[in-house]
Amino acid sequence: MKYKEGTNEYWVLARLAEESEYMSEPKSHQMVYFTNGSIICHARCISNLPKEYPDTRFYSANMDYLKGIDHTFTMKNEVEAQREIEKELKGKVLLFFPYFSKGHDNMDWSAGIQVLSAPEGFSNASRYRVLPLLSAKDGLTEEDLQDGLLTPNTYLHVQRSLSRTKDDMPPFILWKRHSGDIVLYGPITDMRYTPSGGYGYSANPLKRILLSDTILRKSIPTSKGIIFLPEDEMDRLLVALASAPDETVTSIEPESDTKEDKSQETIEQLSKAEIKGIDPFPDSPLGEADFLKCFFSHVHKSGYVYTEKDLVNFHVAMKSSTLVILSGMSGTGKSKIVSLYGESLGLPSEEIRMIPVRPSWTDDTDILGYLDTTTMLYRAADTGLVDTLRAASENPDKLYLICFDEMNLARVEHYFSQFLSVLENPVGKRFLQLYNPELEARVYNASEYPSRIELGKNLLFVGTVNLDESTFHFSDKVLDRANVIRFHRCSFAELKKCSLEAPPKQEALPAVSTTTYLSFENPEKRAISLTDQEIAFLSDLDALLDETKTDGGIGFRILRQIDDYLKNVPAGAVLTHQEAFDLQIAQRVLTKLRGSREQLQDLLDSSHKDNGKYLPDLLGQYKDLSDFTDCRAILSHKGSELIEYGYIL
């Protein structure tokens, strides 16, 4: 099978055909039939094709390549198979590359077939137009797009699986903002393409339309940098642009809306214009102080009691660490605080992935999936993790929060090992491997599950743990990479007081984009900003820990991560620098303090304090740095445990 000579790949939208719609091959009177052990059905094209393509309405589809389809259909008769396929594909549309099949008038599907949810208002009569959808992911800004459309003979250096001929020139170009809004630019008056420069478009005069949510709900966006708009809306958009004055920016809403269009700014004023109250460039980011207020309020309104210092500690750890672990006794709300944090970020449920850990997990195939080499299909695990990682890779402007609940029911360093290594790499070089890249060309659903997935800065990883007889303890490999937080318990009186308050009305929480969240971070990464006294304390502490021969010392990674945390404590926050330093020693260093009485008694047993190695005495020597309240509490607990059991786990 091959593409039409001289053409490139081109995405086509289709739906399952009805028997009454087609008459072609010998078996085409059946919607579903079996051949050579495969299940074949027919689909009806519902999007525009390049003019150089034949006017083909129907395509043969090999259902073996479809994820979620029961591959035991061939054990049933064709009538049963047809009934079940209709059920599987109800309310779905199909995206694929058309190929010519030698000896047939219609085309077969390639292995690039994907199943998408049908949009609002979809029916068998619906028809769509494919259009390019650009975003910051293409390495452009919205201003770059405007300049490219207004400057003759320029190229945007953007590649798409679209027609490359002027006969198929799109009437519009669409731009997706960080806020999620989609803006339409046009009308397009010229188009060009070169392999080196990609696509180039011209629009002079240039006009702009902010698409309403109603129109977008009836459209079909994809992860391929294209969007399918319904033909009836296309006609209305063309009419709106044609009737607008030259060199203006206008706005269109669906026919049922009654908002008045007041914008009449010229294209020279585009960078300062506002369309119906929306800035033409991405929204001004939410300030970190405003977000923290929102976080505190949402936690309280949800009926949970945490100190603001604990919530700030959690937030700073989340933005400065690749992994955060919440530790504590069962029933203290560790999992809930993760959900509340995601909700405070304005994340919808599909961007918060809670994964209950199973004791049987032994490697990353249990959480990711595996390549079935007998069928050459990638089988994603039922955790849904791979789908979330793919969504995050395709939507870098959106945050995704992934929580492993009861993380230590299985050995973290086994099932999470690839993540621990990959997340150490700099952004842009963090690639998670699902299977051998050399096999990717042979994997039928490789377009859905590529061999590698990039882990971007829009991914936040957190785990919750209980420490009891049913769980595993963490290795140093995990502790070296994680902030291990144990929240301070509130009193029962505080909990009762909160429960008696009338539940306030929950308000919509503002969405925080990746760009906004990253703006919360201190951009200085290279230079260490710890004071000389802090460095001296860490050196003395490391020397004492090194003498225990337990490998519990302070490595370069931990020192840099302590520094990153301290640099990221928001100015004016309830958490002071001295308190933050105390927390970092407790969360990054003392978590590794474990071993036998012989190894640790000089550090923790007060009866051995005369040897000069007693850790509480070291804290006292550096009282100017912090009062070390949390560290002293941990050392006291570990000292008691050592005296009673002779060992610390």
Side-chain angles (χ1 to χ4, degrees), residues 372-576:
D372 184 345
T373 55
T374 60
T375 61
M376 294 311 291
L377 289 168
Y378 186 80
R379 310 287 188 184
D382 60 4
T383 60
L385 178 58
V386 169
D387 294 319
T388 300
L389 297 177
R390 283 189 62 251
S393 177
E394 293 166 359
N395 298 279
D397 54 323
K398 295 181 179 180
L399 289 172
Y400 289 80
L401 178 61
I402 298 173
C403 176
F404 291 87
D405 198 21
E406 297 194 65
M407 192 177 199
N408 58 338
L409 278 178
R411 292 193 178 278
V412 178
E413 54 274 10
H414 290 177
Y415 72 82
F416 202 65
S417 61
Q418 189 178 176
F419 286 87
L420 294 174
S421 298
V422 170
L423 290 173
E424 286 297 294
N425 297 330
V427 176
K429 296 183 179 180
R430 305 195 314 192
F431 290 92
L432 193 76
Q433 184 166 312
L434 301 184
Y435 54 88
N436 188 344
E438 295 180 0
L439 299 176
E440 186 166 353
R442 297 166 52 196
V443 177
Y444 292 124
N445 57 349
S447 61
E448 188 172 6
Y449 298 113
S451 61
R452 301 194 311 165
I453 299 177
E454 183 175 3
L455 304 184
K457 286 288 286 182
N458 60 331
L459 283 167
L460 306 175
F461 290 97
V462 61
T464 68
V465 300
N466 296 322
L467 298 178
D468 55 36
E469 66 280 357
S470 68
T471 61
F472 294 96
H473 291 273
F474 292 118
S475 68
D476 285 349
K477 180 177 181 179
V478 177
L479 295 176
D480 271 350
R481 292 162 170 81
N483 252 296
V484 183
I485 297 175
R486 190 181 185 97
F487 290 130
H488 299 90
R489 291 179 60 189
C490 69
S491 68
F492 295 152
E494 290 176 292
L495 184 61
K496 178 182 178 180
K497 179 182 177 182
C498 181
S499 70
L500 293 175
E501 294 177 1
K505 180 181 179 181
Q506 290 283 12
E507 300 176 354
L509 300 170
V512 177
S513 68
T514 302
T515 302
T516 299
Y517 193 78
L518 294 181
S519 73
F520 297 164
E521 293 185 15
N522 187 321
E524 177 54 57
K525 296 291 185 183
R526 181 175 177 82
I528 294 176
S529 61
L530 292 168
T531 67
D532 292 343
Q533 191 179 22
E534 288 168 341
I535 291 290
F537 168 76
L538 291 171
S539 297
D540 289 347
L541 178 58
D542 179 55
L544 290 180
L545 295 175
D546 191 53
E547 291 185 22
T548 66
K549 308 300 181 184
T550 61
D551 296 326
I554 303 170
F556 294 142
R557 178 192 291 115
I558 290 180
L559 185 140
R560 280 199 169 275
Q561 291 177 351
I562 289 175
D563 181 61
D564 283 342
Y565 178 98
L566 294 175
K567 285 188 292 195
N568 277 284
V569 176
V574 294
L575 185 67
T576 67

Side-chain angles (χ1 to χ4, degrees), residues 227-296:
I227 186 171
F228 291 89
L229 263 61
E231 288 284 0
D232 55 349
E233 294 294 349
M234 290 285 298
D235 293 340
R236 290 206 323 106
L237 295 173
L238 285 168
V239 170
L241 279 182
S243 61
D246 289 350
E247 294 189 341
T248 65
V249 179
T250 187
S251 175
I252 186 170
E253 297 291 335
E255 293 174 353
S256 59
D257 291 349
T258 58
K259 294 180 181 179
E260 182 182 358
D261 178 11
K262 298 179 180 179
S263 55
Q264 296 293 327
E265 296 86 350
T266 63
I267 193 65
E268 287 79 8
Q269 297 173 309
L270 191 59
S271 62
K272 299 179 182 179
E274 289 191 356
I275 305 177
K276 306 189 81 62
I278 299 178
D279 194 298
F281 299 106
D283 300 337
S284 299
L286 181 74
E288 185 171 20
D290 294 329
F291 165 73
L292 285 174
K293 289 179 182 177
C294 177
F295 184 31
F296 299 160

Side-chain angles (χ1 to χ4, degrees), residues 36 80 91 126 132 152 154 200 203 249 286 312 323 480 493 503 514 547 619 625:
N36 298 325
E80 288 180 292
S126 298
T154 58
V249 179
L286 181 74
V312 172
L323 175 64
D480 271 350
T514 302
E547 291 185 22
L619 301 182
L625 288 179

